[in-house]
Amino acid sequence: MRIIARSTLRNFWLKPEHSDSEQALRAWFEEAEKADWKRPNDVKKHYSSASIIGNDRVVFNICGNKYRLVVAIKYDFKIVYIRFIGTHKKYDKINVEEI
């Protein structure tokens, strides 16, 4: 999969308060980049805790569910757009389907 934009993840883990997320986000990125997701069920096969949301959104739990990563996946084009990475508190304030 092509992931847009890795810099969003990097900027997040470079913040001192989120530095604990670096290893998990790097691992997610490498796995997602090698993946060949054709439909939401393909994501669930590898990430059983991922939540499939409307509007092609998928929510991943990062660092033991300390952080949430929201992506939009365009399966036909094999593109993953990073839409949000943040704490549960910030996640609770967004509309996942519209972000």
Side-chain angles (χ1 to χ4, degrees), residues 62-81:
I62 304 294
C63 284
N65 211 15
K66 183 175 181 181
Y67 304 110
R68 291 287 181 103
L69 171 64
V70 179
V71 302
I73 302 177
K74 299 300 178 193
Y75 297 96
D76 294 346
F77 298 102
K78 298 188 181 293
I79 298 176
V80 177
Y81 297 95

Side-chain angles (χ1 to χ4, degrees), residues 9-15 18-19 21-22 25-26:
L9 301 179
R10 186 175 182 275
N11 291 340
F12 184 78
W13 79 55
L14 286 176
K15 294 178 182 175
H18 305 302
S19 62
S21 68
E22 181 177 0
L25 289 172
R26 282 182 185 270

Side-chain angles (χ1 to χ4, degrees), residues 21-97:
S21 68
E22 181 177 0
Q23 185 178 11
L25 289 172
R26 282 182 185 270
W28 176 88
F29 184 90
E30 289 175 13
E31 291 170 4
E33 193 173 43
K34 293 175 186 173
D36 184 24
W37 297 325
K38 292 179 174 55
R39 58 190 135 325
N41 283 345
D42 295 337
V43 177
K44 287 293 279 186
K45 284 179 189 175
H46 190 75
Y47 293 99
S48 60
S49 65
S51 299
I52 307 300
I53 310 295
N55 201 17
D56 293 324
R57 301 298 198 267
V58 180
V59 180
F60 295 92
N61 299 319
I62 304 294
C63 284
N65 211 15
K66 183 175 181 181
Y67 304 110
R68 291 287 181 103
L69 171 64
V70 179
V71 302
I73 302 177
K74 299 300 178 193
Y75 297 96
D76 294 346
F77 298 102
K78 298 188 181 293
I79 298 176
V80 177
Y81 297 95
I82 296 171
R83 307 301 298 158
F84 171 86
I85 177 71
T87 63
H88 270 276
K89 187 175 181 179
K90 289 185 179 179
Y91 171 82
D92 290 340
K93 295 179 181 179
I94 66 169
N95 182 333
V96 177
E97 291 183 22

